[in-house]
Amino acid sequence: MMKMKLLAFLLIFTHIAFGQVYGSKGLFTTPTSQSLPVGQLNLFSGMNLFGKPHETVSATETAKRNIWQGNVDFTLSYGIFENIDIALNLRAYQDSHFTDNNIPGNLIFTFAHGNIPLMNRELMMKVQIDILGGIAKYHNILYDDYFGEGLGGIGRVTFSYYLDQYLPNEALSLHATLGFKQFFDNGKDVTPFGITNTENKVYGNTTNTNAFMFSFGTTFPTSSLDFILEFDGYMYLSRPADYVIPRKDRAVGNLGLRYYSSDWVSFDAMMSLNIYESDEDVLNPANLSKRLLDGYSPWRFFLGINFSLRRQTEFADTKSEIERNEYKRKLQTFKGLLEEQDNADKIQSELERLREEREKAEKELEELKKILED
């Protein structure tokens, strides 16, 4: 009961606070090449719910049940310089199916340099570095991605194509990210969930873990709603120990919505489906002839909320913002001229119609005079 109350409190609290999973600007699992404007603070929170059917076999019966998991993230992102922002992410809650769950979970610090033009601005690029801090108590979590104990890092490069380079958030955009993830977890304890370690033996990694990461995403924006489609995954180059439950390669498809209720608040909803996972055995250290519960959840549901707060200062906007604002001003002026031209065309059409009506009336009047004279 205490566990459920704590989870409910965290889920409620996350809907009124903190940051974005990747920090900076991005879709759900795919960063974009954009950076936060100088002085903008993003407070984002997201929660994941996922599960998997499991079959329990005993000497007398076979029972089927669903195993549910969940986690909650807080993130703060801030634009510190033009095209450069930082972020701090904390996994505040992670269900581990122990009586003492991962509270708090792991920590991620992000540094990103975006809006880098390529090919005469046909493409835009972002370089991002994540410093990983595995501070949680448990690191071998059922059905969730692996996050090693101690220090680690991720390096990513994102390429973005915007159909409208001057108003990138108002037209179709395509994004691709390639990355490399490294954990310095050699010798770290990865005792699996549910294993009673009576001998105080360390079931640890025998090498550092690293993986190649990829993600692709596209967004279809409307006036207040973005439709987002993504494909992401990773492939281990050096796998964690045989006892690690999430030691398989995987690929995931994401379909989501982002609703902008105002200029400073947006809401996220996403459904993920597991498309592929490699065939790797996960051993039970207590009984090497028996496999552990392994693999990933076939589905995952995500909800999040983001607050964007812009600092009011006496300083001028950055060069890129000035150019974008000037473009918007010119665009609004051009739209106004088009509307005026359209109105002028309508007035001209009405004048032509009245002239034709007058000429028609004059002809009818002439014909009437001829009839009266006869």
Side-chain angles (χ1 to χ4, degrees), residues 196-257:
T196 302
N197 197 345
T198 56
E199 301 177 357
N200 292 323
K201 180 180 178 179
V202 175
Y203 299 105
N205 282 325
T206 58
T207 184
N208 290 325
T209 301
N210 53 58
F212 168 74
M213 305 170 63
F214 61 88
S215 59
F216 306 94
T218 181
T219 178
F220 306 89
T222 65
S223 59
S224 60
L225 189 66
D226 288 354
F227 297 88
I228 297 173
L229 179 64
E230 293 177 295
F231 175 75
D232 69 273
Y234 51 81
M235 178 180 67
Y236 282 112
L237 304 177
S238 176
R239 296 184 193 279
D242 294 340
Y243 314 120
V244 175
I245 298 170
R247 66 187 306 268
K248 297 184 176 185
D249 305 335
R250 75 180 305 193
V252 179
N254 308 314
L255 181 62
L257 300 173

Side-chain angles (χ1 to χ4, degrees), residues 65 80 104 106 174 200 206 249 296 299 307 317 347 361 368 372:
R65 63 190 178 99
I80 55 173
N106 300 303
L174 304 173
N200 292 323
T206 58
D249 305 335
Y296 301 99
W299 61 272
F307 295 90
D317 288 338
I347 293 172
L368 182 59
L372 292 174

Side-chain angles (χ1 to χ4, degrees), residues 49-56 64-70 95-97 142-143 193 293 297-299:
L49 177 66
F50 50 103
K52 186 176 182 180
H54 170 60
E55 186 176 272
T56 303
K64 292 184 178 181
R65 63 190 178 99
N66 284 325
I67 295 180
W68 300 95
Q69 289 275 33
D95 194 345
S96 61
H97 278 272
L142 188 64
Y143 304 151
F193 124 87
L293 302 177
S297 170
W299 61 272

Side-chain angles (χ1 to χ4, degrees), residues 17-32 34-36 40-46 73-78 85-90 108 110 126 128 130 228 230 258 260 266 268 302 304-308:
F18 302 96
Q20 192 170 352
V21 175
Y22 280 101
S24 192
K25 285 192 174 183
L27 308 183
F28 295 118
T29 61
T30 308
T32 70
Q34 293 178 284
S35 295
L36 295 179
Q40 179 168 316
L41 174 67
N42 275 14
L43 310 175
F44 183 90
S45 178
D73 286 278
F74 297 155
T75 309
L76 290 88
S77 310
Y78 186 71
D85 52 45
I86 58 175
L88 184 65
N89 172 269
L90 172 66
I108 303 175
T110 298
K126 174 191 283 181
Q128 180 172 319
D130 299 335
I228 297 173
E230 293 177 295
R258 176 166 292 159
Y260 297 90
S266 62
D268 293 342
F302 171 81
I305 184 171
N306 185 71
F307 295 90
S308 297

Side-chain angles (χ1 to χ4, degrees), residues 11 14-15 44-49 70-73 301-304:
L11 295 187
T14 57
H15 281 74
F44 183 90
S45 178
M47 56 164 286
N48 285 287
L49 177 66
N71 55 51
V72 174
D73 286 278
F301 185 67
F302 171 81
L303 287 174

